[in-house]
Amino acid sequence: QYRLGLKQDGDLMQIVLGLSAVYAAQGKDAEAEHLLRHALAAQPSAAAHFQLADFLQERGRLDEAQVHYLQGLALAPYHAGARNNLGNLYARQQNWPAAREQFERALKLNPKAVGVHQNLGNLLAIQGQIPQAQAEFEAALKYQPNYAKAHFGLAGVFAAEKQDTNVVRHLREAVRLDPEWLAPLNNLAWLLATHKDPRLRDGPEAVRLAQRAIEVAKTNDWERLDTLAASQAEGGQFSNAVAAARQALALAVQTGQTNEVNGISNRLELYQRGLPYREP
């Protein structure tokens, strides 16, 4: 249908953008990029610059993407979505001041943009500005209460503040809202299995979560197996814990995770002695 439209009127930018998106979705990257560049050579278009910038950023071509975001914003400076995406690009380059500037400008244009609050919160957390990060995650939840990413962000904030009860609460919400998201599944299982406070530990739930993470991933890796082993040990399943820890250790060695090998080995020794692992 898009091709028919081009035959009838090859100057319709909306048709070009749509056809390029179809090509990209089909994995025809060369065709998608050629169409956008050809359209831009024919006429300036902020939308085409932004679509090409997104296309390039998704493929890791960050310097080229930056050029097109800036050219598009020169034509449409009040486009909040493009400023957010440019902020993400700067964050990937670890250019934190430039990323923050774009996120804040995007929020001035659209104060209710949940994803931008989330992105700014993540950036502030990375920089150690914990209260400010918390405020951004809470703003995201104000506008979208069932936003799993904001709950996960708050779990990280409260972990930095050693408020582990709140960590558990927000991780549980993240898992409830997005039951196939590996990071909160694994983190919650680990905390419930290894926390030094017995009031926060729950072996059976930890095992269930760890097993679910492996099911979702559809593969084993050292990290998820390490979590499963710790969960099984907390639940008193020491023979299972030993088997899982041995698998985790073998995979850590195989994949060159040298910093993790000693930790897994030490935990394996505990399980072999009938003892669970506790975080310091």
Side-chain angles (χ1 to χ4, degrees):
Q1 293 302 312
Y2 281 131
R3 285 170 179 158
L4 287 172
L6 284 175
K7 288 179 181 179
Q8 294 170 10
D9 188 343
D11 294 329
L12 289 177
M13 182 61 72
Q14 199 63 36
I15 295 176
V16 170
L17 298 179
L19 182 56
S20 177
V22 170
Y23 282 146
Q26 292 175 329
K28 298 177 180 178
D29 286 4
E31 292 91 334
E33 183 175 351
H34 171 77
L35 198 57
L36 289 171
R37 291 190 183 278
H38 181 74
L40 283 169
Q43 76 178 84
S45 164
H49 277 299
F50 295 149
Q51 186 163 320
L52 180 55
D54 291 342
F55 172 92
L56 294 167
Q57 180 169 193
E58 288 168 4
R59 286 149 185 83
R61 296 161 62 182
L62 301 186
D63 290 340
E64 294 174 79
Q66 179 182 341
V67 169
H68 286 284
Y69 282 128
L70 294 174
Q71 289 179 346
L73 285 167
L75 298 170
Y78 303 112
H79 196 293
R83 293 206 174 276
N84 177 58
N85 292 346
L86 178 57
N88 284 331
L89 184 149
Y90 286 136
R92 291 177 68 178
Q93 295 175 326
Q94 298 186 4
N95 186 346
W96 309 124
R100 180 170 183 172
E101 178 190 0
Q102 293 302 322
F103 293 145
E104 289 177 343
R105 292 181 72 173
L107 286 172
K108 285 181 180 178
L109 295 167
N110 183 5
K112 296 182 179 181
V114 170
V116 185
H117 282 294
Q118 179 70 26
N119 290 336
L120 180 55
N122 289 336
L123 184 151
L124 292 167
I126 289 170
Q127 295 183 303
Q129 300 181 44
I130 301 304
Q132 297 92 325
Q134 180 176 342
E136 295 301 326
F137 295 136
E138 289 174 346
L141 288 175
K142 173 184 175 182
Y143 297 117
Q144 189 173 327
N146 291 331
Y147 193 50
K149 289 181 179 180
H151 283 290
F152 187 66
L154 282 172
V157 162
F158 286 123
E161 296 177 340
K162 307 298 183 184
Q163 298 183 33
D164 292 337
T165 301
N166 284 329
V167 175
V168 171
R169 178 166 62 89
H170 284 287
L171 284 176
R172 282 199 169 113
E173 277 299 287
V175 168
R176 181 182 70 82
L177 294 167
D178 191 348
E180 296 195 350
W181 187 6
L182 288 173
L185 278 170
N186 189 80
N187 291 5
L188 181 55
W190 182 262
L191 191 153
L192 294 176
T194 67
H195 201 279
K196 59 187 177 183
D197 186 344
R199 293 171 296 180
L200 292 181
R201 292 198 302 272
D202 188 330
E205 184 180 2
V207 170
R208 180 183 64 78
L209 291 165
Q211 289 174 334
R212 177 61 183 155
I214 290 173
E215 290 172 5
V216 169
K218 298 180 181 177
T219 185
N220 289 335
D221 64 22
W222 68 266
E223 186 175 10
R224 280 182 280 273
L225 285 167
D226 188 28
T227 300
L228 177 61
S231 302
Q232 291 168 329
E234 170 59 22
Q237 304 173 29
F238 290 106
S239 60
N240 291 338
V242 167
R246 283 175 174 160
Q247 281 185 276
L249 182 59
L251 287 170
V253 171
Q254 179 183 333
T255 55
Q257 303 293 328
T258 53
N259 294 333
E260 309 297 336
V261 167
N262 286 340
I264 298 172
S265 297
N266 293 337
R267 288 188 283 276
L268 174 57
E269 290 180 10
L270 286 174
Y271 308 151
Q272 289 171 327
R273 292 160 48 200
L275 297 172
Y277 171 73
R278 296 283 175 264
E279 283 282 7

